Structure formats: structure tokens, C-alpha cells
Amino acid sequence: HRVGEPVSARVIAKFIEVSKFREVITVDLHNDAIVGFFQIPVTNLSMLPLLSSRLKSLGLKKPVVVSPDVGGVKRARNLAYEIDVPLVVMEKKRFLDRHDQSESYQIIGDIKGADAIVIDDVISTGGTIANSAQSLMVAGASSVTVLATHGVLAGKATELLSHPNITKVILSDTINISKEKQSTNMEIVSTAPIIAEAIQTIVGI
């Protein structure tokens, strides 16, 4: 977020390369540009098809995809296209002097009476999602469903995600989520199918 901050992904890429790995499979990199940091082949997989498939089975009456910030618009737009529903964007003010804290303050689009589907790549402390859900419900949303690939779930994230404002949370298992961190409204989707398919493609099975 600040000029001069180190690009740690480049360092990780170098570690992998000097460890003599010949190829890398990743899932939903935070930024597609990270692929360019590697000098070895990288296959960056998307959990979107599996998450959207699970989403369709929920039977939401008036679904609307929501990007919790402007930076996530591409991801949210892809999901909106995938399930053929409208897109809403939340503008988020991030405090650079406070780690992992942000404030949602503007909703661009019509959310009244809709079943909001908030999609993000990472849920760290849950603060952004909790603020987004609160803002959406105040704006008139009927329900809030959360989709994310990587569930870091640090600090009080599980408690925040258990709030009545959030009907369901669907995460993948790219990070192992212990039973203690799983809330009653949480569901874990396996990445195994897409990783197995990628391996089969790479090795020519």
C-alpha cells in the first residue's frame, strides 16, 4: 500500500527457484502480476468455478455479486458473469497507519432487497468482510453470503464471520482451517479437483 514497501512475493519466488523446483501450481494469487516474478513455469488456478457451482446450489432469490473494494472488481465481475447476476462495488478507505483495518464507506450499485454475495481472495482478520456485511445490511440487503479462497482467519476472524449479518461463509482449503476456527455458518470447499486436473495436464496423464 505504500511506496517503497518490499515486494515479498518476488523473494518467495526466488526461494522456490533456488530450491530447484521446476514448476509451480498456485491457487488464486493475490495479484496476477506475481506470475511474472518467476523464471520457472507457473500455473495459477482459480477457485471461481468450484465456488460458483456451490453458490448456485444455495438457491438465492435475488443474488447480486459485491466487490468489497475497488481492487477486487475484476474478481467480482468474473463471478457475476459466471452466474449471470448484477455487480455492486464498495469503495473502501484503508488506514495505512493501522494494520489490517479498513472502513467501507460507499456502495456503488443497487443492493436493496438483494442477496449480496461478497467475494474476496483472502480473509485475514475478517474486519473488511464484517464492515462490508454491516454496510450492505444497512443499505437494505436481504442477506450476505461470503466467498473467499484463502481463509487465514487470524485473531477474532471466526467471531466476526459468525455475526448474524452473515448468512454463510464459503472458503476453500488452500489453508487448513482447524475445527476451532470453523463457525456454524462456514463451509469448506476442496481444491483437490482443480489441482488434480492441473497435475494431469502438466504431466500428460
Side-chain angles (χ1 to χ4, degrees), residues 37-106:
F37 295 158
F38 287 86
Q39 302 300 312
I40 57 177
V42 177
T43 301
N44 183 32
L45 306 176
S46 171
M47 272 298 293
L48 190 63
L50 293 181
L51 292 176
S52 62
S53 176
R54 181 65 192 95
L55 186 63
K56 290 174 183 176
S57 68
L58 298 180
L60 300 177
K61 294 180 180 178
K62 188 183 176 183
V64 172
V65 174
V66 179
S67 174
D69 54 40
V70 175
V73 169
K74 180 181 177 181
R75 184 182 308 108
R77 185 177 64 236
N78 289 342
L79 176 61
Y81 285 163
E82 180 83 14
I83 62 176
D84 192 25
V85 301
L87 173 66
V88 167
V89 178
M90 303 187 77
E91 268 196 320
K92 181 178 65 177
K93 180 179 181 181
R94 184 173 290 278
F95 300 107
L96 296 182
D97 58 339
R98 304 180 208 170
H99 182 62
D100 272 339
Q101 291 188 37
S102 60
E103 178 186 1
S104 296
Y105 67 98
Q106 185 178 5

